[in-house]
Amino acid sequence: MLIVMKPAASEEQIRAVCEKIEALGYRAHPMPGAQRTAIGITGNPGPLEPAEFECLPGVAEAIPVSKPYKLVSRELKGEDSLIRIGLAGADVIVGGRELTIIAGPCAVENRDQAFRAAERVQAAGAHLFRGGAFKPRTSPYSFQGLGEEGLEILAEVRERFGLLIVTETIDPVNCDLVERYADVLQVGARNMQNFSLLKRVGRSAKPVLLKRGMSATLEELLMAAEYILAEGNYNVILCERGVRTFADHTRNTLDLSVIPAVKRLSHLPILVDPSHGTGKRNKVLPLARAAVAVGADGLIVEVHPQPDRAISDGFQSLDPDQFDELMAQVAAIGAVLGRTMRLQPAGAKLE
Amino acid sequence: MLIVMKPAASEEQIRAVCEKIEALGYRAHPMPGAQRTAIGITGNPGPLEPAEFECLPGVAEAIPVSKPYKLVSRELKGEDSLIRIGLAGADVIVGGRELTIIAGPCAVENRDQAFRAAERVQAAGAHLFRGGAFKPRTSPYSFQGLGEEGLEILAEVRERFGLLIVTETIDPVNCDLVERYADVLQVGARNMQNFSLLKRVGRSAKPVLLKRGMSATLEELLMAAEYILAEGNYNVILCERGVRTFADHTRNTLDLSVIPAVKRLSHLPILVDPSHGTGKRNKVLPLARAAVAVGADGLIVEVHPQPDRAISDGFQSLDPDQFDELMAQVAAIGAVLGRTMRLQPAGAKLE
Amino acid sequence: MLIVMKPAASEEQIRAVCEKIEALGYRAHPMPGAQRTAIGITGNPGPLEPAEFECLPGVAEAIPVSKPYKLVSRELKGEDSLIRIGLAGADVIVGGRELTIIAGPCAVENRDQAFRAAERVQAAGAHLFRGGAFKPRTSPYSFQGLGEEGLEILAEVRERFGLLIVTETIDPVNCDLVERYADVLQVGARNMQNFSLLKRVGRSAKPVLLKRGMSATLEELLMAAEYILAEGNYNVILCERGVRTFADHTRNTLDLSVIPAVKRLSHLPILVDPSHGTGKRNKVLPLARAAVAVGADGLIVEVHPQPDRAISDGFQSLDPDQFDELMAQVAAIGAVLGRTMRLQPAGAKLE
Amino acid sequence: MLIVMKPAASEEQIRAVCEKIEALGYRAHPMPGAQRTAIGITGNPGPLEPAEFECLPGVAEAIPVSKPYKLVSRELKGEDSLIRIGLAGADVIVGGRELTIIAGPCAVENRDQAFRAAERVQAAGAHLFRGGAFKPRTSPYSFQGLGEEGLEILAEVRERFGLLIVTETIDPVNCDLVERYADVLQVGARNMQNFSLLKRVGRSAKPVLLKRGMSATLEELLMAAEYILAEGNYNVILCERGVRTFADHTRNTLDLSVIPAVKRLSHLPILVDPSHGTGKRNKVLPLARAAVAVGADGLIVEVHPQPDRAISDGFQSLDPDQFDELMAQVAAIGAVLGRTMRLQPAGAKLE
């Protein structure tokens, strides 16, 4: 059930509706919009009676929800959510006019590698630095990340280059640690339906970057986000990173049609990861252009100072010069859709 | 085996090499390039000895081919193939700087519907008109097309609106008929591995639009094209139209990463069909933008004067106003990549 | 619309209903059952009025059909269809208590190979001999079959070993030739939606073995069969041969759940091809057991006298000794479900 | 690297090899077989020198391993692993001649429901009782299980009906609790690559039932098991439960070919879950037969006293009478392969 308040509803009226909901034993999720506030109700075992709420002062309408997701849905909130990242809560805004660019190596390998990557991606106009300290790897014998040492290096990157930090958390206990260092908590594709982890990041004060699972439907992706919002953390950024199909010319099949589909159904922003989405360095740039053209709110790209020496995923990482080229091309495509970039690169034509 | 001639090789030397190949009982496929000519050899039961050809006058190199395809490969021909369509053979060129736009209804329903669609797509800058006269339909009880009457209407469209005609041929015998009317023979996704049909269109003088099968790998797509080239028809245009996956938010999953993959491996041009590729009208426009951004040579789009009354595929057809909007957006994206359009629409910014 | 006649309806009453249907410009498909006859109506552009038929003498009921398929459906015909193969029309019955076993090489390579295979599969209890004379191959440079010479060898196999012949037809014109030699016309997976071919075999007097396409849904498979029945050929045998998925430990993923699904929805028999369904020799035997256990009406298995020397598909072909083993195991599994085999092998326990 | 000891090697010699491995800073995994002991080495950053180990007393051979998995592989251990379940460690053996049957409701709903299910599945010959106390659900608003109260009910079931308990653990902390009640720890499909959880159950003394992820390749499944073995818990039971494909006639596509594939590559036992594998009650029985016929070591089946009133997954649960029928049919199929059942039901023929 969604309660839509009248544009002129007072704070007091909104609070009264929430109190009534809580008194019934359910949970109220007020979501203020530019025009009016909507209040989602969760925790109700069965359908509710609209009339019970429509009689309250300030209520415009009570709408039974047909979709299995509520809090992430456009029905609840017509306007795009703007996700604010950073200590002051306004350093970077995801979902607005400016495209958000996250870049950095797959894994933090050492301070030198991280700093060299950070220097270049910062200069090229990225907002956030990515780098894994805890790596979910298919093999138990593969490099699993530097752990807390990696997090410390990431904190130094933030300090020195002014880049906010996105890094992956792999379980609820690990989240206690990662949360102390990261500006954005990443939930990886393999954990998209790790519901314990979703609930844990849902209780965090930090925004969450939620990657689509390898065989997740759109509804499952939105339901995973719903788990996070239902715990009270409304700052969720979705991310398409390719799905698993029979096609073998790329590591995954990047499903760009999910971007306009998400935009129709949800108010949450969505990024695209062309690095994992293709798994091949030579496909990253064209798919990055396509991602921006289709309407994504930004990109997350693997950049390594020396891709051929990377401990993991080197074959899909760009070198810094290739990333400069990507930023120039993406800026030019974005401009056509009215999207801006932090830095406006010089050359616009890509011929 | 590929025989690469020296840039200075004479016509006579080229002919001599071909004659030697034929004398051995194989088939020679000379493919002239801007710089030099390459000659493909097919029909050899096993590997050939390079030395046997490298001693001939004018031969630069004889290269054994590792890939299962030869004639479609970049190894044979480094430059992009330009496919010329039309009576004079130069009305429209696919694969060059100009984006090729094919538009029209799923099926030709009657003269009025075809003319109304043609008038608008011509005005918007399309080069070719699409419309099915023979429709492969999942159900034997669905409308199967007007048949020859539909082809006659298409011929009138060409006459009146100056649009070249793309229409589907569904079997070798049917091809005799369709060939008399069409400028481009379309082989549909369900027939991508109908090898009898591929061989038949391979013996046609008309260019062929070959759509990727619903679960075809990249290699299978290129091998299907190889069938056509192996018969002597080098004028093949590939087309990505979505593949079948578990994802259910679109009818098919448009695999845009196949575009740069084709460009690396083959000299043939490739278009994208965002209408079948998504199966939903509201996804056609964003995916059309993405297709051009990723590097496709053009688009094939379903446009119907009244989509809600279409006999088939109305739910994925644009109305003419939506098509105008698509052309404006695509022109702006294309401009960033240095691609031109037949008509340059006024407004470029899409905000 | 289905017209269900009363059990006591006379031939004359049935004919009168058919005449009325034809007089309305539609097509009548009378399908006699053990208890009563049902008459399918096809060719009607829209819904019909039940009352118009229910008033005719001998009519029990007129049922509007909700499913897109009619003639293949259990609604039309509750009992299993028995497909009779052979000149006298009763040599082999597919869909009854006896499991039908089709075996032989992928391609007919020469008389010696075919005879050696035939001798062994006949001795092991197979009913039909399979072998391709026209082979749809991914590459134009692969062996495409012996053509009519192959068909002649197949005819000799029938003559000498008393095995009925299943072989593939690849296009409508080719069907004129294949029909003269084959007892069962095979439509391959790549041609499952080659509607011209479906219509052509639908006008043949020979039964049709229709293989499921690599990414065909159950509904598409049934609709492909419907094309054949709608032309008047009711003798269709379906075949599951694996579908295309992300899984890479087998060439295709054998979808055995489609067997009980077909049995619920349709009266047509269905076989399983564990050779193409797995693409690996060592998986053929266990999946053949599973196919019979799940309820398939029989198997089609690739057997080659010397698999390692096979021109095509040797890696998935059994040698004759392995086929003997398969027959023994399948007989024992079949016995559990009350299915019989032509020959009852000695050993039943498989430990 | 695998160290294969001579059949006559003494305990002392085996210990000496392990000590040498540990002294080098790696981890030794001795795995005793009927004939001889093999010792896996993990934790080595790069390839090792065979000669360094082959010179030790009692060592037959040192084999570099090519596959990414070691401990789960047949190369390490040629014989089938027998997984012993229960306090005394020998109540139930999975992977031997006897088929293992796990049955029970999707979720424990209350004592009455659990007892009624347990009574019937015990009487029918099941070895273990399944039932979720912590349920990973797509929606945060769906029933998430009774939690510890559910575990207590399961313990009562064990006490009263003598059935060992399989139940799911959903994160490393939760495992501390579940471990106190369960006889087998289940890792669900959505958590197959939750590496924190895999490491945690790898440190448990309880056997683990590891379900294949919805889009996991065979290699990924074996690598997930490798995570558990690498931590020292060698008691892993694999489970096929269907994968995600385009096919829509079942909820998942049961991939039975993975059973013989696992048997070739690994010594671990594997069960099949036909309930989740099909998602439809009417498909459970035929696919259970097929699973046993293909060579699975047993089944895990959802059984509910009143499926139509089940809180979750009722549509795929059998009622107790249907389960009796399944047990009879499975026993008959199993007998053909020399597999036994706990109880031998009366009727063997299934006609």
Side-chain angles (χ1 to χ4, degrees), chain C residues 151 154 158 164-168 177-186 206-207:
Chain C
L151 295 176
L154 290 169
R158 175 174 46 213
L164 295 174
I165 300 301
V166 182
T167 197
E168 184 161 357
L177 178 64
V178 173
E179 201 172 37
R180 293 208 300 271
Y181 292 89
D183 298 295
V184 177
L185 301 170
Q186 179 178 320
K206 298 284 173 73

Side-chain angles (χ1 to χ4, degrees), chain C residues 221-349:
Chain C
L221 172 62
L222 293 178
M223 291 307 289
E226 184 85 12
Y227 260 94
I228 302 172
L229 273 72
E231 295 291 330
N233 185 350
Y234 301 146
N235 295 309
V236 175
I237 304 160
L238 304 174
C239 183
E240 161 65 24
R241 46 78 70 206
V243 292
R244 193 158 268 185
T245 73
F246 69 89
D248 52 7
H249 63 279
T250 42
R251 196 169 157 209
N252 295 292
T253 298
L254 197 64
D255 176 16
L256 290 181
S257 69
V258 88
I259 312 301
V262 161
K263 293 284 174 195
R264 271 172 66 88
L265 298 173
S266 176
H267 51 84
L268 296 175
I270 180 162
L271 308 182
V272 169
D273 176 347
S275 306
H276 287 88
T278 64
K280 294 197 176 175
R281 191 179 304 153
N282 62 47
K283 306 278 180 298
V284 173
L285 204 156
L287 272 301
R289 288 195 309 256
V292 171
V294 91
D297 293 300
L299 301 169
I300 175 164
V301 182
E302 286 193 357
V303 178
H304 192 282
Q306 290 171 289
D308 297 335
R309 299 202 186 162
I311 295 184
S312 63
D313 282 0
F315 50 89
Q316 70 188 28
S317 296
L318 300 185
D319 68 34
D321 291 346
Q322 293 168 324
F323 182 64
D324 286 348
E325 175 67 13
L326 177 145
M327 291 294 274
Q329 297 200 10
V330 155
I333 297 283
V336 174
L337 285 89
R339 308 294 296 247
T340 57
M341 297 277 281
R342 172 171 275 196
L343 301 180
Q344 291 306 326
K349 292 272 172 168

